């Protein structure tokens, strides 16, 4: 992933953060559109995390250039704020989604992975402005471990089986399930699994 933002703290901070995230490979950074265009051929990123408000050409314009010259590269607009026109222009440029810089890091990581897999995403706070077709807007309330437990619940596994599969204690499994039920506002395991599918946290 190539991170394009005119603020050094954002570029360096996220680059360092994503180094420790499985499934995300930060290959470099750029401060503006021209620099990004110059780096893409050498770095060959699968995805570009692109600020909307860059010096010179804005994110939508840069996104259109990237899509034209590197059609296989997916693009996420990551911005401090966007109005309806910003989102329309970003959509017209062919971006995979639009995210706000105010979103929690865990949700950003999930959205990046969704986009890298070819799915459209948009920050829920922007969904009512100009929703992306087929975009997933439900934020992910679960931790990575809770997501793993939920996936195993969907397979009908017992607490003991989940504990063995994840190399954790049955008490820890029980705690994770209680958290899942609370966060998904589900009455029982079956309801949690159903809610997981509804929100797109689980797939058939």
């Amino acid at each position: 992933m190539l991170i394009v933002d005119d603020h050094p703290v954002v570029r360096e901070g996220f680059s360092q953060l994503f180094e420790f995230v499985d499934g995300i490979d930060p290959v470099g950074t750029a401060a503006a559109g021209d620099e990004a265009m110059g780096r893409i051929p050498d770095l060959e990123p699968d995805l570009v995390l692109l600020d909307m408000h860059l010096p010179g050409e804005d994110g939508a314009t840069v996104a259109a250039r990237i899509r034209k010259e590197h059609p296989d590269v997916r693009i996420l607009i990551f911005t401090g704020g966007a109005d309806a026109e910003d989102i329309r222009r970003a959509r017209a440029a062919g971006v995979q989604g639009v995210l706000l810089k105010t979103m929690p890091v865990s949700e950003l990581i999930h959205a990046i992975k969704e986009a890298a897999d070819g799915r459209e995403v948009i920050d829920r706070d922007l969904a009512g402005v100009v929703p992306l077709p087929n975009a997933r807007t439900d934020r992910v309330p679960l931790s990575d471990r809770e997501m793993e437990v939920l996936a195993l619940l969907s397979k009908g596994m017992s607490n003991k089986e989940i504990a063995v599969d994840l190399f954790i204690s049955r008490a820890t499994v029980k705690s994770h399930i209680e958290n899942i039920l609370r966060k998904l506002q589900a009455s029982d395991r079956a309801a949690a699994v159903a809610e997981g599918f509804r929100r797109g946290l689980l797939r058939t």
Side-chain angles (χ1 to χ4, degrees), residues 65-175:
R65 291 178 61 192
I66 294 172
R67 293 292 297 161
K68 180 178 179 180
E69 298 184 26
H70 308 281
D72 294 334
V73 176
R74 295 189 171 100
I75 305 164
L76 272 179
I77 293 291
F78 188 50
T79 180
D83 57 22
E85 182 60 24
D86 286 335
I87 299 174
R88 289 192 187 94
R89 292 180 58 239
R91 286 179 58 185
V95 304
Q96 207 71 30
V98 183
L99 308 173
L100 289 175
K101 291 181 178 179
T102 54
M103 74 188 312
V105 171
S106 61
E107 295 172 13
L108 171 62
I109 290 171
H110 180 75
I112 288 172
K113 291 181 178 180
E114 289 279 284
D117 286 339
R119 288 179 283 275
E120 291 183 314
V121 295
I122 189 168
D123 193 292
R124 186 172 62 181
D125 292 338
L126 296 174
V129 181
V130 184
L132 291 168
N134 305 317
R136 299 190 177 190
T137 60
D138 279 321
R139 288 183 170 174
V140 182
L142 306 182
S143 69
D144 289 344
R145 179 61 87 185
E146 289 164 355
M147 289 286 288
E148 291 176 333
V149 172
L150 180 62
L152 296 179
L153 285 177
S154 73
K155 297 178 180 179
M157 294 176 66
S158 67
N159 286 20
K160 181 179 179 180
E161 289 170 329
I162 294 173
V164 171
D165 192 88
L166 297 180
F167 299 99
I168 57 179
S169 70
R170 290 163 72 174
T172 300
V173 172
K174 181 180 178 182
S175 177

Side-chain angles (χ1 to χ4, degrees), residues 33-47:
D34 285 341
E35 183 182 0
M37 294 302 297
R39 303 206 70 188
I40 289 174
D42 293 329
L43 297 176
E44 298 183 341
D46 58 347
L47 184 143

